[in-house]
Amino acid sequence: MSTTFQLDTATSRANPTPQPMRRLTVPKIGARKVDGVTHDPIVMLTAYTARQAQLLDPHCDILLVGDSLAQVIYGLPSTIPVTLDMMANHAAAVVRGSYHSVVVVDMPFGAYEASPRAAFEAAARLLKESGAAAVKLEGGEAMAQTVAFLVQRGIPVMGHVGLTPQAVNVLGGYGARGRSDAEAEKIVGDALALEQAGAFAIVVEGVVEPIAVEMTGKLGCPVIGIGASAKCDGQVLVVDDMLGMFERVPRFVKKYEGLADTITAAVKTYASEVRERSFPGPDQLYRPK
């Protein structure tokens, strides 16, 4: 049985009296691109917890509750085992921790491929239980009918083409896509089909740069790159990758920090102080009156 979360403004240790602000909307994201040009690039990062959302929200336009939580949060080998319960729970946390960004939640593998109606039931559940604004699904032309079905029934959809991690078993790995002319043509065609079906934005992942540039120029909706091109209408990264939480990351990731080293050093110091009985010290103890 799934759990339905309250969508009221939450309080937390970090933000006990949050100041509500006007949240960005899906139409406002789409409106960033005018006559094929986006003058204000879209900033997008993944988020999986309320605290992450609080820290990222002031600086982002979109927070993606990605099925990458499989590897980042749960230590799974791929995104394939992710469930609707996982996505709904983490999306609800991110919604509670954010007040500005559009929150988009990934549809997990197996939740939308069988039929448009099955996709609608899964997407409706995710939005109702979490309060997120939109869903993201992988796949190109083959998913266009499903995208249209969802959009016509009030569910905003973000597409995802190129390297699609949920199809890793078919693709045979996580290598860059579009190195052949035929594959490049298919990826661009997939994106065009999703736009025509009503997708408000499309993520293009792990492709050779000319494909991303061509796609960005041809599509009227925003194209958000990850391992694609700086010329896309926006960029997205897995937040734990860009913060340096993992030693091994994809080639397209730039590490803006080295938090793994910082955390390791802090825990090492803590462990040493506990063992030598120097923690807790006078500043951490309560004294009788």
Side-chain angles (χ1 to χ4, degrees):
M1 181 180 294
S2 63
T3 302
T4 300
F5 293 86
Q6 296 296 320
L7 304 182
D8 301 81
T9 299
T11 59
S12 75
R13 180 184 304 181
N15 193 9
T17 54
Q19 296 297 317
M21 57 190 297
R22 199 173 188 85
R23 194 185 287 271
L24 286 172
T25 63
V26 166
K28 286 184 178 179
I29 293 296
R32 289 280 185 93
K33 193 167 186 176
V34 180
D35 296 328
V37 178
T38 299
H39 296 289
D40 186 10
I42 296 164
V43 178
M44 178 170 159
L45 283 171
T46 62
Y48 314 106
T49 68
R51 183 55 178 151
Q52 275 187 334
Q54 289 170 338
L55 295 173
L56 304 180
D57 188 50
H59 311 287
C60 293
D61 303 305
I62 300 173
L63 293 178
L64 172 66
V65 187
D67 59 1
S68 48
L69 58 79
Q71 297 99 323
V72 172
I73 302 294
Y74 292 96
L76 295 168
S78 74
T79 60
I80 303 300
V82 171
T83 66
L84 277 169
D85 280 341
M86 288 179 182
M87 298 311 303
N89 291 347
H90 286 276
V94 170
V95 169
R96 289 195 297 270
S98 61
Y99 306 93
H100 167 68
S101 303
V102 173
V103 178
V104 178
V105 55
D106 266 340
M107 299 273 283
F109 177 76
Y112 60 93
E113 295 89 344
S115 70
R117 183 161 297 280
F120 175 78
E121 291 175 358
R125 178 189 161 192
L126 284 177
L127 298 194
K128 288 172 69 175
E129 293 188 9
S130 71
V135 298
K136 181 172 76 65
L137 55 78
E138 297 182 8
E141 187 175 358
M143 297 308 303
Q145 183 182 357
T146 295
V147 171
F149 190 90
L150 296 180
V151 172
Q152 290 164 8
R153 286 157 181 78
I155 297 180
V157 179
M158 175 181 286
H160 186 150
V161 300
L163 171 59
T164 48
Q166 291 179 6
V168 63
N169 291 328
V170 174
L171 297 176
Y174 294 98
R177 316 307 301 176
R179 296 192 184 278
S180 71
D181 291 342
E183 189 176 43
E185 183 178 351
K186 182 181 186 306
I187 292 171
V188 175
D190 282 341
L192 289 168
L194 293 180
E195 180 186 36
Q196 291 168 4
F200 74 90
I202 295 174
V203 169
V204 56
E205 178 175 359
V207 300
V208 295
E209 186 178 24
I211 295 176
V213 174
E214 179 183 356
M215 189 183 301
T216 303
K218 284 187 173 180
L219 268 62
C221 70
V223 174
I224 299 172
I226 175 169
S229 173
K231 295 181 180 179
C232 290
D233 301 300
Q235 301 293 327
V236 61
L237 283 175
V238 171
V239 67
D240 296 74
D241 288 345
M242 59 86 72
L243 290 177
M245 289 292 287
F246 296 100
E247 289 75 20
R248 295 181 60 187
V249 296
R251 174 180 174 175
F252 54 72
V253 172
K254 177 179 178 179
K255 290 187 180 182
Y256 287 81
E257 275 294 344
L259 292 193
D261 293 338
T262 301
I263 292 170
T264 298
V267 174
K268 182 178 179 180
T269 300
Y270 165 75
S272 176
E273 291 184 0
V274 169
R275 290 179 179 123
E276 65 188 21
R277 299 188 185 276
S278 63
F279 174 84
D283 292 342
Q284 291 85 43
L285 298 175
Y286 297 102
R287 299 294 183 186
K289 292 182 179 180

